[in-house]
Each structure stands twice: as C-alpha cells, then as structure tokens.
Amino acid sequence: MAIPTALEQSLSNWERIHKQTLRLIKVTPDDRYDWKPTDSAMTLGELVNHLYQADLGFADALATGAYPSDPPSYTNTAELVAAYSASHAAGVEKVRAIPPAAWEEMIAPFGPKSTMPRFALLTIALEHEIHHRGQLYVYLRMLGCEVPSLFG
C-alpha cells in the first residue's frame, strides 16, 4: 500500500473540502442559530458547531486512536470560523506527524466495536464533512441566504 502518496492526496482533499466548508459557514447568520427545518433536525447553530467539533475530533482520533469529548460550542459565526480555522490547521499538523507505518494500524475511535485501519478513519472524516456541508447548503437556502458556489 502506497500510504504516503494516498495520504498526501487525502490531506490535500481534506484542505480543499475544509476551504469549501468555511466559505459556506461564513454566510451563516448569527441571529438564526436557533432555527431548524424540522423538529427532529439539528438547529443551524448545532450543525455549524458539529462541523467544527467533528473536524477537531477526527483529527484527534487519527492522532491518538480515540475520539475525544466535544469542544465548546459557539453562537457567533466569526468566532466559530476563527476556531474552526485554527483547529483545522493544528489538526492537519497532528495528522501529518503520524508515522507512515501507523496508518495501517487498527484503531477503535468510537469504542471497541468500531475497529478500523487508521487510514479508513480519514476517509470517514471527509465523507462526514461533505455530508453535513450538504445539509448546511439546504439550511441556508431555506433561510434565503445567498450561498457560495461549491467550486467557485
């Protein structure tokens, strides 16, 4: 398995996905954090905080093998964007510091029944962010916000 090449491609993709997500989060209105499209859905604030918290959690889980407890939540988009940007940069550095041989190690980031190779968790992290970013696009459009183009 050519981990360094695959890893570099995945990290580059993670950076691209993160930039797209940040552009979208930046248009999140502070005064609508309590809004949600249905009773069973997350609020807008919970959703944007979940994107930040999960990114931080996945980076820690990749580095340590275990998913940490949730970091604080924000009620202000500017503060959330700053925290998300800083934590993502630190997380990428943690992930880059993982020795190549460790990428094939089996870890259990969500408990003993979640065993997987470390590299698989990076793929899950990317899928997770893309999924919730899609939800955020729908939320913001429902609120009448002008959203940035995905690839623009």
Side-chain angles (χ1 to χ4, degrees), residues 37-100:
T38 66
D39 288 340
S40 62
M42 285 188 272
T43 66
L44 178 61
E46 289 168 338
L47 180 57
V48 292
N49 275 284
H50 180 67
L51 280 158
Y52 149 68
Q53 292 167 340
D55 186 78
L56 183 63
F58 278 117
D60 282 353
L62 284 162
T64 67
Y67 201 89
S69 60
D70 287 335
S73 292
Y74 294 90
T75 58
N76 173 286
T77 298
E79 291 174 359
L80 175 66
V81 166
Y84 191 17
S85 297
S87 68
H88 180 76
V92 169
E93 289 309 310
K94 281 185 203 176
V95 170
R96 285 189 183 281
I98 297 169

Side-chain angles (χ1 to χ4, degrees), residues 3-59:
I3 294 292
T5 300
L7 176 61
E8 204 48 53
Q9 289 171 340
S10 292
L11 291 176
S12 175
N13 198 28
W14 191 17
E15 290 292 352
R16 179 187 56 78
I17 291 165
H18 176 71
K19 287 176 185 172
Q20 291 168 327
T21 301
L22 270 182
R23 276 199 320 267
L24 185 61
I25 289 174
K26 287 178 181 178
V27 303
T28 302
D30 291 339
D31 64 343
R32 300 306 303 263
Y33 269 48
D34 290 335
W35 180 86
K36 58 183 176 177
T38 66
D39 288 340
S40 62
M42 285 188 272
T43 66
L44 178 61
E46 289 168 338
L47 180 57
V48 292
N49 275 284
H50 180 67
L51 280 158
Y52 149 68
Q53 292 167 340
D55 186 78
L56 183 63
F58 278 117

